[in-house]
Amino acid sequence: MSQECYINPHVEYLRIPQMLAHQRAMLQDKVLEMTNQRELHAGVRWQPGQTRINPRDIPGLIQAGWDPESAKSVGELRTLETQLREILDTLWNNDGVSWPFQAPVDPDQVIGYLDIVKDPIDLFTMRQKLENGFYRTKEMFTADIRRMCSNCRLFNPKETVYFKLANDLENLFNKEMARASLGSSAA
């Protein structure tokens, strides 16, 4: 079985080392801007079998400006991946809106689809991308949702149920993004 490689024309692959170095420098500058602590500490020593650590036991954390009163507990923090999974599950489970988007369009069944839609996407493919760690930002996830709805509106006439469901799904997505406090990028 051969592996196929895809080169994204929008990524400047030769500049990745410089971009990463620039991002690292910006991150270091931001950390220095946000802290009043310039001293380096040895770090945390884990004991065998230890699974948790009290933040107060992290050398230099309080001196750097960490406020134990305003910090959220680790249990309350949710990753972007968790939030996106919840949104995708909500969209998927809303069968009245999502049924046309739950699987890739079969070009053998929908003649001419790939002549009009050049970059197809669907909820199943998005779920695979999410499970594989593809979505690094909410904007990447939002772009795929918007592209899926836009593809549907591009291919289907305005008076069809598919066109209407694309609008309904996008509206549901916007509500779920707002509910998750992720906002949604404009179309």
Side-chain angles (χ1 to χ4, degrees):
M1 181 174 167
S2 68
Q3 294 289 330
E4 197 170 309
C5 180
Y6 172 74
I7 303 293
N8 187 322
H10 301 292
V11 175
E12 296 179 41
Y13 292 97
L14 296 177
R15 290 200 58 241
I16 288 177
Q18 293 89 354
M19 289 188 296
L20 292 175
H22 180 70
Q23 288 175 355
R24 181 182 180 131
M26 288 178 55
L27 182 60
Q28 287 174 334
D29 290 346
K30 192 65 172 173
V31 167
L32 288 173
E33 177 184 308
M34 295 173 64
T35 182
N36 58 14
Q37 186 71 14
R38 300 292 184 260
E39 182 181 341
L40 293 178
H41 294 269
V44 176
R45 300 225 186 268
W46 288 92
Q47 302 301 319
Q50 183 179 4
T51 58
R52 292 178 171 229
I53 188 166
N54 184 332
R56 296 175 204 280
D57 295 336
I58 300 173
L61 188 61
I62 291 177
Q63 295 87 338
W66 179 74
D67 178 12
E69 298 304 316
S70 65
K72 291 183 177 181
S73 72
V74 173
E76 293 175 3
L77 298 176
R78 297 186 315 148
T79 65
L80 177 65
E81 181 181 347
T82 301
Q83 291 175 310
L84 296 180
R85 182 176 291 109
E86 289 173 3
I87 291 168
L88 191 58
D89 287 345
T90 298
L91 298 178
W92 184 281
N93 293 328
N94 192 325
D95 292 333
V97 171
S98 69
W99 62 267
F101 307 100
Q102 291 179 349
V105 172
D106 182 351
D108 294 332
Q109 297 288 322
V110 184
I111 307 302
Y113 184 76
L114 294 179
D115 294 331
I116 294 172
V117 174
K118 302 300 181 194
D119 196 9
I121 188 73
D122 58 89
L123 294 175
F124 178 79
T125 303
M126 289 184 68
R127 184 177 302 281
Q128 290 180 315
K129 289 169 82 171
L130 182 62
E131 296 303 323
N132 290 326
F134 176 81
Y135 297 114
R136 298 287 184 203
T137 66
K138 72 172 184 168
E139 289 80 10
M140 292 173 73
F141 185 79
T142 298
D144 273 355
I145 289 286
R146 301 241 186 270
R147 179 166 45 101
M148 182 176 62
C149 294
S150 179
N151 286 347
C152 182
R153 289 187 292 258
L154 176 66
F155 185 78
N156 296 287
K158 207 174 198 175
E159 58 277 355
T160 64
V161 67
Y162 300 106
F163 193 100
K164 179 188 177 310
L165 289 174
N167 290 337
D168 292 346
L169 186 74
E170 196 165 27
N171 288 335
L172 177 60
F173 169 73
N174 291 336
K175 288 177 190 168
E176 289 302 310
M177 288 292 280
R179 187 186 59 72
S181 300
L182 291 172
S184 67
S185 305

